[in-house]
Amino acid sequence: MQFVGESIYLNKIFTMSSGKQQSQLYTLAVVFFFWGFIAASNGVFIPFCKERFGLDQFQSQLIDFAFYGAYYIGALALFLFSAASHRDMLNHWGFKKGIIYGLLISALGAGLMIAAVTAGAYLFILAAFFILALGFSLQQTAAQPFVASLGDPHTASNRLNLTGGVNSLGTALGPIVVSLAIFGTIVSGDQLSEIIKTVSLTKMEYLYVFVGVLFLAAASLFGFSKSLSDGKADDHFEPAPKATRMLIIITLSLVAVFTYLFLRYKDPEFIEQVINQHQKDISGLGLSFLALLVIVIGLLFSNQTAQKNPEGWGALRYPQLVLGMLAIFTYVGVEVTIQSNLGELLKHPEFGGIQGSALAPYISMYWGSLMIGRWTGAIGVFNPSASLRTILLVVVPYVAFGVVLAVNALSGHDMTPLLMYAVVVALQIGAFFLGKDKPAQTLMVFGLFGMIGMLIGLFTAGTLSTYAFLSGGLACSIMWPSIFALSIQGLGKYTSQGSAFLIMMILGGGIIPPIQGKLADIIGIHQSYIIPVLCFAYLSFFAVRARQVLAKQGINVDELEAGGGH
């Protein structure tokens, strides 16, 4: 999602909606904060659980698999339910009820997390994360079109930018708040193992009691709000039986692969062997790549088959959508895997030996990098004059950078090691000028920016390497709207269905991090960052290929607006 970076523009957003719609927009912003807060907090939970439960890097990344896998299952279940009932169930319920149902499911997940922490069972914790994120899947599927519907359709991206800003605030605050909640103070790297042994899991219980209460309070706020409309829309559903069957086959294949992995890694003797002699175990890596191939081959096969006979394939007949689904999968995956593996990387001496709550500023800066880009990316939607746009492209990123530094400093963190990151922000500003607010060009430029950053990180160490890996957040920041805009062009009556398929591909956040985690167990955490290099390379390829595909359909991508966001 993108963020509105200048308060001067907020009035413009609100004047485009009625007073009632403004009130609804404020209410909806609550759930956008939850998504960012909880998702970014995983970066602190992963190293904590790794130490606490004696996990290898692959096992620790299963937190991301459970969390982001739930987005896929939730979106798929809603699609299958709609197909079976021959109507779009979300539009039939109404966006308001969809959000309420999602909040209640997330509250259930928070309650299960309390029980899981009490039991001290890692698999139970994963299950609780899955249920919590299942609610998020329904919330996100409902909330984004709801926000877009609150006013003039031409200003929908403005409203999404504002709620996206609240999401970015959650991503910046999440790691700090969770770190303080668990550790209570800043912990140096050499204290981490001992501190985790003595830290009471009761603190995590209290944290999720608080989170669960917030979910219930938000559900009540939505339920009893008189200003919030039902948000119902046309519930017509375009049938796609062949696409449905292919998605079921992909899902069952993924379930089989990861069920085997869960059972294999449940054996304590095997876990001990993997941790002590991880070079001998490559099955986890092989099966994770198999899961990736199932998705890639399944989608490409569907599109190739649909080219010959499009009947029954629905939106999967369009190559720009299928390539875009893989792009969303890759984008979410690389965004998550960079920060999820960051804790393991930074604990090594050549990267400063940073662990525990001392990780929070770095994780916060990574997510803050996404906020910096989203603030800046929002400038174009307000159509400022050329001279004002030039000024804002330079000023806004540093305003956002200052906010990230200030929030961390107020939390008691020493931000001195991150001050020179301002140089990397300057490079991103140059990328924005090269992108020229055009989705294909912007995506290509930022894909190359990310790929170069990851390569620099791979071939260096210390502060330079750390900054290079953190720059992945700057590269990812504005990719979602560009990918989305390119993917749904030319879909016609299948646009809604195509959007649902794109949401399913958030699954990438659950597949790619475990792949990097297992590769890290085999070749080392630093070298494992070859995975983000490959991801950014595909995103640059998609930008070029989508332009070619759409040009054959008579669509000029340079006329598209890179609005909206995730």
Side-chain angles (χ1 to χ4, degrees):
M1 302 165 195
Q2 299 189 354
F3 195 108
V4 177
E6 280 289 298
S7 60
I8 189 173
Y9 290 127
L10 294 179
N11 289 333
K12 182 172 182 179
I13 294 175
F14 295 137
T15 55
M16 295 175 183
S17 301
S18 68
K20 181 178 179 180
Q21 289 172 331
Q22 292 175 29
S23 177
Q24 294 181 69
L25 190 60
Y26 293 141
T27 306
L28 284 167
V30 173
V31 296
F32 284 78
F33 178 85
F34 282 151
W35 304 337
F37 183 91
I38 299 297
S41 301
N42 289 354
V44 175
F45 276 124
I46 287 171
F48 176 82
C49 288
K50 181 178 180 182
E51 283 289 330
R52 186 78 191 198
F53 297 105
L55 310 173
D56 70 357
Q57 189 64 7
F58 170 75
Q59 289 173 291
S60 70
Q61 296 304 307
L62 292 177
I63 288 177
D64 280 333
F65 171 72
F67 190 83
Y68 290 97
Y71 274 87
Y72 173 79
I73 295 298
L76 177 63
L78 190 61
F79 173 77
L80 295 178
F81 192 19
S82 297
S85 59
H86 303 290
R87 61 187 176 187
D88 189 318
M89 293 309 302
L90 186 57
N91 284 324
H92 179 70
W93 293 335
F95 297 139
K96 178 179 177 179
K97 284 186 178 179
I99 294 172
I100 293 172
Y101 295 156
L103 286 166
L104 292 176
I105 293 172
S106 292
L108 174 61
L112 291 174
M113 180 64 76
I114 296 168
V117 170
T118 301
Y122 183 56
L123 289 180
F124 195 179
I125 287 176
L126 292 178
F129 262 114
F130 178 85
I131 299 299
L132 189 148
L134 201 61
F136 279 14
S137 175
L138 185 53
Q139 292 170 46
Q140 180 148 323
T141 305
Q144 295 213 48
F146 202 172
V147 169
S149 70
L150 296 177
D152 189 334
H154 295 292
T155 61
S157 61
N158 296 31
R159 294 185 292 277
L160 286 168
N161 289 332
L162 177 62
T163 51
V166 179
N167 175 267
S168 289
L169 180 62
T171 62
L173 293 178
I176 298 171
V177 173
V178 172
S179 179
L180 291 174
I182 294 177
F183 300 105
T185 184
I186 298 175
V187 183
S188 62
D190 57 357
Q191 295 175 306
L192 178 64
S193 296
E194 196 60 36
I195 288 291
I196 287 181
K197 292 176 184 177
T198 59
V199 166
S200 173
L201 290 178
T202 303
K203 290 187 176 182
M204 286 185 67
E205 294 175 21
Y206 289 155
L207 175 65
Y208 276 93
V209 167
F210 178 68
V211 169
V213 169
L214 284 180
F215 285 138
L216 292 175
S220 299
L221 175 65
F222 277 81
F224 293 107
S225 174
K226 295 182 179 180
S227 64
L228 202 61
S229 63
D230 290 333
K232 291 187 177 183
D234 180 14
D235 64 2
H236 175 70
F237 181 82
E238 287 291 340
K242 293 180 181 177
T244 301
R245 286 195 292 271
M246 177 55 70
L247 289 171
I248 291 174
I249 291 171
I250 290 174
T251 303
L252 291 177
S253 300
L254 292 176
V255 169
V257 168
F258 281 95
T259 298
Y260 174 80
L261 285 175
F262 276 127
L263 294 176
R264 184 171 175 81
Y265 276 83
K266 192 176 180 181
D267 181 0
E269 293 183 3
F270 178 73
I271 292 175
E272 183 177 356
Q273 178 186 0
V274 169
I275 293 174
N276 295 332
Q277 298 177 315
H278 52 256
Q279 294 88 347
K280 295 182 179 180
D281 176 60
I282 62 172
S283 60
L285 180 63
L287 287 171
S288 297
F289 270 116
L290 178 60
L292 178 62
L293 287 175
V294 165
I295 295 167
V296 174
I297 294 175
L299 291 178
L300 293 179
F301 173 79
S302 298
N303 183 247
Q304 288 297 314
T305 304
Q307 297 302 308
K308 301 174 182 177
N309 181 14
E311 185 67 29
W313 284 106
L316 290 185
R317 71 184 66 183
Y318 296 96
Q320 65 266 35
L321 175 71
V322 171
L323 293 173
M325 290 170 69
L326 294 175
I328 288 290
F329 179 93
T330 304
Y331 152 71
V332 178
V334 72
E335 177 186 286
V336 174
T337 197
I338 292 173
Q339 70 88 27
S340 291
N341 287 283
L342 194 62
E344 177 67 15
L345 179 77
L346 294 181
K347 82 175 188 181
H348 286 73
E350 61 269 32
F351 289 92
I354 303 163
Q355 300 187 57
S357 64
L359 280 172
Y362 292 87
I363 296 172
S364 180
M365 181 57 74
Y366 175 78
W367 289 111
S369 294
L370 276 88
M371 186 175 75
I372 292 168
R374 288 162 182 171
W375 283 34
T376 310
I379 293 171
V381 300
F382 301 105
N383 297 316
S385 65
S387 58
L388 179 58
R389 178 181 180 276
T390 299
I391 294 172
L392 292 177
L393 281 175
V394 176
V395 173
V396 170
Y398 285 109
V399 171
F401 179 58
V403 169
V404 177
L405 292 176
V407 168
N408 281 275
L410 290 173
S411 302
H413 295 289
D414 178 16
M415 300 303 292
T416 304
L418 290 168
L419 291 178
M420 290 304 295
Y421 190 64
V423 176
V424 186
V425 175
L427 296 175
Q428 188 206 39
I429 292 172
F432 271 109
F433 279 105
L434 292 174
K436 299 180 180 179
D437 283 336
K438 298 176 181 179
Q441 187 163 328
T442 296
L443 183 60
M444 182 186 67
V445 169
F446 275 80
L448 292 173
F449 177 75
M451 185 169 61
I452 292 170
M454 296 303 102
L455 286 171
I456 292 173
L458 271 175
F459 291 105
T460 60
T463 301
L464 177 59
S465 183
T466 300
Y467 280 9
F469 289 136
L470 288 176
S471 73
L474 297 172
C476 288
S477 59
I478 47 73
M479 285 186 167
W480 173 281
S482 295
I483 296 170
F484 215 95
L486 293 169
S487 301
I488 64 173
Q489 288 303 310
L491 268 59
K493 65 181 181 179
Y494 294 106
T495 298
S496 177
Q497 187 181 108
S499 298
F501 289 165
L502 289 170
I503 293 294
M504 289 181 194
M505 290 298 102
I506 292 177
L507 172 67
I511 299 291
I512 293 178
I515 289 177
Q516 183 177 348
K518 190 59 202 174
L519 190 63
D521 289 330
I522 296 172
I523 67 173
I525 185 65
H526 191 184
Q527 292 75 15
S528 74
Y529 272 82
I530 187 64
I531 295 296
V533 174
L534 298 175
C535 290
F536 282 121
Y538 174 74
L539 291 168
S540 294
F541 163 78
F542 169 72
V544 175
R545 184 59 183 154
R547 179 191 292 271
Q548 296 171 344
V549 168
L550 290 171
K552 290 181 180 179
Q553 299 174 17
I555 300 173
N556 183 356
V557 297
D558 290 334
E559 296 178 354
L560 305 180
E561 177 187 356
H566 166 70

